[in-house]
Amino acid sequence: GSSAAAGRFMVAASQIAPDDVVCDAPAYCVCTFEEWRKRVCASCFSLASGRLTVRCPNCEHAFYCSEQCRTRHRIEGSVGSAPHGRVCAALRRFAPLRKYGKSTANVLRLLLEALACRADAADATDAADAADTADGLFDALVHHPPHWSQPKEAQEWARVSAAFRTLLSRCDWWHAPPPSDDELFALVSRLDSNIFGCFVRDDGAIFGHACYLQAATFNHSCEPNCVAMRGVARMRIVAQEAVAAGEPLTISYIDANRPVHARRKDLSDHYHFTCDCPRCTAEAANGAVRTKLTYGGGGALRRD
């Protein structure tokens, strides 16, 4: 479904039972954070107990758990990751972007993977079918125009954009005109507003970000009827309660056990909207004690 207020969203096409898998989405693009790249294999995304010793000898940016992973990744890539040979030359010149902060460097690194993957897909896709492809779904993602609070922010983004255009000029698969500052911001915004964290263990540590296009169409609720079962190569979304046909399917983008003001701030800062779900509205209006949500693991989202 879609609306002016909620944008595109998922609704139940028929009656859904608890534990039904309502979405099984492959990763469109995946990338480890800068601070984790020496411990997470760039091909299979396995986590090492210490620093990985196998790496790309050219860019020294990609690290691997074995020579087999390094060789396969350079030629074939992996789910959500372009063949490394396609981005290696650009990564040799990635260092200047790190001075703009980890958050900016991480999302631009992810964008480089996304653009390389879509260049490969474009070679095999008829233009008439583009709207139905993964790239068509990516282009339809919600994004937000820049709102600079002061001129120096726009000036810094101009420098970031110039550095990223330099990277693209090193890629033999980039044939389009260089993206303008605003066009590049729109690409980054599509990712930044629709990515999920990749978890390395149960304590909440995140090693990177991934974009799952079909999962990105699920709207947020602080009292969701579905839960995202996050992997790396794929994301499954499972119903946590019975959902009637025509009802919206929702997940939580954040830790829903935080107080309403903290939840709303997190969503505003990272997803650019103020949550008006029934739970937030009730807690904000009457100061109700927040409901603690607990995933029971067997299909029940308990309210403690």
Side-chain angles (χ1 to χ4, degrees):
S2 64
S3 72
R8 300 177 67 198
F9 56 92
M10 298 295 289
V11 298
S14 59
Q15 177 74 27
I16 292 174
D19 290 333
D20 280 357
V21 177
V22 297
C23 180
D24 186 5
Y28 179 65
C29 55
V30 184
C31 191
T32 57
F33 292 154
E34 286 285 302
E35 57 268 33
W36 283 92
R37 63 189 174 90
K38 296 180 182 179
R39 288 191 58 197
V40 176
C41 178
S43 179
C44 68
F45 300 105
S46 61
L47 174 67
S49 58
R51 178 171 172 164
L52 295 167
T53 58
V54 180
R55 62 185 180 181
C56 172
N58 298 318
C59 69
E60 299 189 350
H61 193 96
F63 289 73
Y64 302 96
C65 63
S66 66
E67 284 290 347
Q68 291 85 351
C69 267
R70 184 185 71 82
T71 301
R72 181 170 59 249
H73 189 236
R74 181 168 186 82
I75 300 171
E76 301 175 10
S78 60
V79 176
S81 179
H84 184 67
R86 302 278 269 169
V87 298
C88 185
L91 290 176
R92 288 201 294 270
R93 295 160 179 83
F94 195 83
L97 287 168
R98 295 191 181 111
K99 68 182 179 182
Y100 297 106
K102 289 181 180 179
S103 178
T104 297
N106 286 332
V107 74
L108 290 173
R109 178 68 183 85
L110 184 63
L111 178 60
L112 183 65
E113 288 291 341
L115 294 177
C117 286
R118 71 184 296 165
D120 286 344
D123 294 338
T125 303
D126 187 278
D129 299 326
D132 297 324
T133 66
D135 294 334
L137 292 175
F138 177 79
D139 291 339
L141 290 177
V142 171
H143 62 285
H144 307 277
H147 294 290
W148 311 119
S149 59
Q150 46 190 320
K152 68 178 183 180
E153 292 179 350
Q155 294 165 3
E156 180 168 293
W157 180 251
R159 291 192 292 270
V160 170
S161 299
F164 193 79
R165 284 191 288 269
T166 298
L167 297 190
L168 288 180
S169 71
R170 306 293 180 178
C171 300
D172 58 10
W173 43 265
W174 182 262
H175 306 301
S180 67
D181 294 359
D182 286 347
E183 289 169 338
L184 185 56
F185 190 94
L187 289 171
V188 167
S189 179
R190 284 183 175 90
L191 283 179
D192 202 34
S193 299
N194 294 282
I195 51 181
F196 295 85
C198 297
F199 291 85
V200 295
R201 51 180 180 262
D202 293 337
D203 65 3
I206 301 175
F207 76 77
H209 278 155
C211 181
Y212 307 88
L213 292 173
Q214 292 83 356
T217 58
F218 282 72
N219 269 0
H220 166 83
S221 172
C222 292
E223 200 167 22
N225 53 26
C226 299
V227 65
M229 314 294 286
R230 305 182 187 188
V232 177
R234 309 191 73 84
M235 173 180 282
R236 291 196 312 153
I237 295 180
V238 181
Q240 296 302 288
E241 58 190 51
V243 183
E247 289 296 312
L249 297 170
T250 58
I251 60 176
S252 180
Y253 296 171
I254 57 168
D255 179 359
N257 285 321
R258 302 173 69 195
V260 60
H261 68 275
R263 298 196 308 268
R264 282 182 161 176
K265 183 179 188 305
D266 202 3
L267 290 165
S268 177
D269 289 347
H270 296 285
Y271 297 97
H272 310 287
F273 70 90
T274 299
C275 185
D276 290 318
C277 72
R279 182 182 170 207
C280 280
T281 301
E283 290 183 11
N286 56 31
V289 177
R290 68 181 184 275
T291 303
K292 183 176 181 180
L293 306 182
T294 305
Y295 174 54
L301 191 66
R302 300 196 300 269
R303 292 160 176 82
D304 298 336

